[in-house]
Amino acid sequence: MTDQELIQALVQKGLLEGASAKKLLEEAALKSRSPEDLLYEERLADEVAVAKAKSELLGIPYKKIDPASVTDDLLSLISRDASRAYRVIPIERRKDMLIVGMLRPDNLPAQEMLRFIAKRERVSLGVYIVTPSDLATVWRRYAPYRSEVEAAVKEIGTPRRTDDLMVTLEEGGGSADDAPIIKIVASTLREAVDLRASDIHIEPQHARLRIRFRIDGDLQEGASVPSALSQPLISRVKVLSRLRLDETRVPQDGRFRTVIGGRDIDFRVATFPTPSGEKVALRVLDPSTGLKGLQELGLNEHNARILEEAAGAPFGMILITGPTGSGKSTTLYAMLQRLNSDKVNIVTLEDPVEYFMDGVNQSQVKPEIGYDFASGLRQILRQDPDIIMVGEIRDSETAGLAVNAALTGHLMLSTLHTNNAIGVVPRLIDLGVPSFLLSSSLNLMLAQRLVGKLCPECKRAAPAPDEMQKIIRKTVEKLPEEIKSKLSFKSPYEVYHAEPNPDCKTCKGKGTRGRVAIFEIFRMTRELGEVINKGFSENALMDETVRQGMVDMRADGILKALQGEVMLEEVLRETE
């Protein structure tokens, strides 16, 4: 089976669009990469659907792996390095047969490796097709994070005083203490990527060094090491990110890139002085989790169509709003991926650049040298752009330049801090944008929040309490007829709750896995332009949302709660 045959099969099955397939093959040829690898990285198709398509092409069955069934004895048959290199995992050992899972059963080097193991163990081989997620889950069982950290700490032995270790590291020495420190940092980075953490916090406490991971918006402790190791561990991170080791009095910012699990992962590093020592926060920028397509954002059919129409406009401004950590950047990057092609020139101004995208000209602002959003936007207009993305509109000068760019034939994407979509209009006017320019420059206002996504294995349905029944009924009655006519939910309504199972391998006992966004989209229309030009009020803007049939964030969240994606209580809390 060739990569082209797999891609063609996915197109025929409707799992991949023809245009996306063509672009994927071109990108793979340009980068000398496998189209299948890029397919998974860019999340262009569901990996289980891809596995089933491969199963039909190769005549090899697909199997969903239960990581709990993969014992330590099984793992010992195939080394961790070999498993990662050939993308093969042991699944089951019978009396005279070893059953394995393979991402690519037709890979000749992997077949040779398995034949060697079969000869060594005197067994025959059975093969299933598995997904990248299954591989990653089993790989985590090879070397649990805490065990690696504990082993590295034991290797160090009794820690010496912090001052002694600091001197050694600052002098760049090659003492025996250095290797375990390097192991701890490397294991921490790998664990963060495996857990799909967004941030790592390395925090010196009075009696210990605490390492925490932010997963699905919540912090959880990953490891604790002796306080005497605080400075060498933090120094190692500073060495990786090329920060000054001798400067501990003021915060420093840096970043570095490394390969983990065969993927390029960026880490954005920020230090912060505390009485117990420097604290370090690392933002984990994993393209496989942070870069999503528009179809993966959680937009309902109604909102997705509106956003697609706005993204296809030749000019105008699309503004995304929400609090810090609400997924605005993810939505911006999803739109850039949708718009990116050889026919357009896309230029961005970011603070900082989070993900690097091929084909997009990205630039990071540096206010300390006078290169901010406003000055950068002036320079961008000299770069013959078709599409401009500015990380955030923070001041009146940037707002004015953004509106001017939208009026002069450019599609402008940016973010703004307001509580909801209708708050964009008064905020822009407050920033000094003349109201009469908004109707001709502003295309779309999108607001969003993130809520926890229920684990499909642990969620349970139950009738909603009476008070919630009233809220749901009132919300459903206000929905546009286009949406209401397609609903299958009937009163009394059922909602879903998490009943965490400690043995659940999907959510690991949390009850939720990942987060999903709830949205509201407010369009610029002729009627809205007239409302603004007449001297609007908040009530007038609200009346226009009703006329447009806007699905507000609460309504979008309630629909997701009825579908079993999220908990209704969290939706109500986030949208009160």
Side-chain angles (χ1 to χ4, degrees):
M1 179 195 71
T2 64
D3 285 319
Q4 285 80 2
E5 288 173 338
L6 174 61
I7 300 302
Q8 185 178 1
L10 296 177
V11 172
Q12 290 174 349
K13 291 177 178 293
L15 300 172
L16 185 65
E17 295 180 359
S20 298
K22 181 180 177 183
K23 183 178 177 182
L24 178 70
L25 292 171
E26 290 173 351
E27 185 179 354
L30 187 65
K31 296 180 176 179
S32 298
R33 295 278 307 281
S34 161
E36 186 179 348
D37 287 344
L38 292 177
L39 181 78
Y40 296 131
E41 287 179 14
E42 299 179 9
R43 296 175 173 267
L44 297 177
D46 178 72
E47 60 179 27
V48 173
V50 174
K52 291 179 178 178
K54 287 164 64 178
S55 176
E56 292 182 15
L57 286 172
L58 295 171
I60 297 173
Y62 158 73
K63 183 178 179 66
K64 175 67 179 171
I65 305 302
D66 177 10
S69 66
V70 182
T71 63
D72 291 341
D73 289 340
L74 273 175
L75 293 175
S76 68
L77 297 177
I78 302 177
S79 70
R80 175 178 176 170
D81 291 340
S83 177
R84 285 180 175 270
Y86 298 107
R87 303 187 191 184
V88 176
I89 51 175
I91 296 176
E92 184 181 351
R93 172 78 183 263
R94 297 175 185 169
K95 183 177 180 182
D96 56 354
M97 177 178 284
L98 173 63
I99 300 173
V100 299
M102 301 180 70
L103 185 67
R104 294 184 175 174
D106 54 345
N107 181 271
L108 293 179
Q111 292 173 5
E112 288 293 332
M113 184 272 295
L114 286 174
R115 276 195 284 269
F116 172 81
I117 291 176
K119 185 177 180 180
R120 183 190 69 195
E121 300 294 326
R122 298 180 181 179
V123 294
S124 57
L125 290 169
V127 176
Y128 284 106
I129 290 174
V130 295
T131 64
S133 294
D134 290 329
L135 289 175
T137 302
V138 173
W139 286 340
R140 282 201 292 272
R141 292 181 54 82
Y142 272 99
Y145 171 59
R146 285 178 185 259
S147 299
E148 287 190 352
V149 172
E150 289 168 5
V153 171
K154 286 180 182 177
E155 190 174 335
I156 293 172
T158 304
R160 293 181 291 168
R161 290 183 304 170
T162 303
D163 290 344
D164 293 338
L165 288 172
M166 280 180 61
V167 170
T168 302
L169 287 169
E170 288 176 357
E171 292 173 353
S175 73
D177 291 334
D178 292 345
I181 294 296
I182 292 172
K183 285 181 185 178
I184 293 174
V185 173
S187 297
T188 300
L189 301 181
R190 187 165 56 244
E191 179 75 357
V193 173
D194 287 345
L195 292 175
R196 303 166 68 91
S198 62
D199 299 87
I200 307 167
H201 291 260
I202 303 176
E203 304 166 311
Q205 307 292 299
H206 178 67
R208 64 186 179 119
L209 176 72
R210 179 174 64 177
I211 299 175
R212 294 193 292 172
F213 302 106
R214 187 175 294 280
I215 303 169
D216 299 337
D218 297 324
L219 282 169
Q220 64 181 49
E221 186 166 317
S224 178
V225 300
S227 60
L229 301 182
S230 294
Q231 192 55 49
L233 280 172
I234 290 166
S235 293
R236 174 60 183 164
V237 175
K238 292 171 76 173
V239 167
L240 289 172
S241 47
R242 298 182 180 180
L243 300 179
R244 290 182 56 184
L245 292 176
D246 60 345
E247 181 56 83
T248 60
R249 301 165 300 171
V250 297
Q252 297 185 69
D253 294 323
R255 70 187 302 158
F256 64 93
R257 176 183 291 191
T258 188
V259 177
I260 296 177
R263 303 196 303 273
D264 283 348
I265 310 293
D266 279 290
F267 293 90
R268 203 170 75 218
V269 181
T271 68
F272 186 75
T274 74
S276 300
E278 285 183 287
K279 175 188 182 300
V280 176
L282 298 93
R283 171 63 54 89
V284 183
L285 302 172
D286 183 353
S288 67
T289 58
L291 289 178
K292 298 182 179 180
L294 283 178
Q295 69 277 9
E296 298 177 79
L297 295 179
L299 290 158
N300 62 45
E301 184 180 342
H302 176 75
N303 283 340
R305 187 179 67 252
I306 295 172
L307 187 57
E308 282 280 356
E309 290 174 0
F315 59 87
M317 193 155 52
I318 298 174
L319 294 180
I320 302 171
T321 182
T324 301
S326 61
K328 300 189 296 297
S329 295
T330 299
T331 303
L332 275 180
Y333 277 110
M335 295 186 68
L336 288 179
Q337 288 197 105
R338 155 71 175 78
L339 296 165
N340 189 14
S341 77
D342 294 336
K343 296 181 180 179
V344 295
N345 177 24
I346 302 178
V347 188
T348 75
L349 273 178
E350 305 176 52
D351 183 22
V353 174
E354 293 196 4
Y355 298 102
F356 296 99
M357 299 179 65
D358 285 334
V360 177
N361 302 292
Q362 297 170 271
S363 181
Q364 179 167 323
V365 298
K366 296 181 179 179
E368 65 272 15
I369 60 172
Y371 181 50
D372 54 16
F373 284 128
S375 61
L377 195 45
R378 287 195 189 91
Q379 296 301 321
I380 280 181
L381 294 173
R382 299 174 187 172
Q383 292 294 319
D384 184 32
D386 298 293
I387 300 166
I388 302 169
M389 191 271 270
V390 173
E392 184 182 346
I393 294 176
R394 298 174 178 171
D395 52 55
S396 57
E397 187 177 10
T398 306
L401 289 166
V403 168
N404 181 64
L407 289 170
T408 53
H410 306 92
L411 184 63
M412 165 66 66
L413 311 177
S414 190
T415 68
L416 200 65
H417 279 287
T418 64
N419 290 326
N420 49 32
I422 67 171
V424 169
V425 172
R427 177 61 179 151
L428 286 176
I429 293 175
D430 184 54
L431 287 172
V433 178
S435 58
F436 66 87
L437 291 180
L438 291 181
S439 58
S440 50
S441 62
L442 190 55
N443 289 358
L444 197 74
M445 297 148 276
L446 181 151
Q448 64 182 80
R449 298 284 191 282
L450 291 177
V451 293
K453 192 171 184 178
L454 284 168
C455 172
E457 307 298 329
C458 298
K459 67 181 182 182
R460 298 290 182 269
D466 292 342
E467 191 61 35
M468 288 186 180
Q469 292 282 353
K470 294 177 184 177
I471 294 172
I472 296 171
R473 196 174 299 113
K474 185 177 179 181
T475 300
V476 170
E477 288 172 358
K478 291 182 178 180
L479 289 172
E481 197 59 41
E482 170 196 355
I483 296 177
K484 199 188 306 183
S485 62
K486 297 179 181 178
L487 295 181
S488 58
F489 315 113
K490 303 294 182 184
S491 180
Y493 297 101
E494 284 192 335
V495 294
Y496 291 76
H497 296 86
E499 291 185 5
N501 176 4
D503 298 323
C504 179
K505 301 302 183 295
T506 302
C507 67
K508 303 190 186 307
K510 286 182 60 181
T512 59
R513 176 169 172 78
R515 290 184 292 175
V516 67
I518 54 176
F519 297 93
E520 63 183 28
I521 295 181
F522 193 28
R523 288 173 288 180
M524 176 55 68
T525 59
R526 185 180 63 188
E527 292 82 0
L528 177 56
E530 291 175 356
V531 168
I532 294 172
N533 291 331
K534 288 178 181 177
F536 67 91
S537 64
E538 186 173 340
N539 287 337
L541 292 177
M542 292 298 296
D543 290 343
E544 174 58 17
T545 66
V546 174
R547 193 200 66 78
Q548 285 189 21
M550 183 184 89
V551 180
D552 63 27
M553 278 187 287
R554 171 165 284 201
D556 187 41
I558 287 174
L559 290 176
K560 286 183 169 72
L562 292 173
Q563 291 164 354
E565 290 186 57
V566 299
M567 285 192 291
L568 182 58
E569 293 87 347
E570 187 174 2
V571 170
L572 299 179
R573 185 171 64 249
E574 287 292 331
T575 58
E576 57 185 13

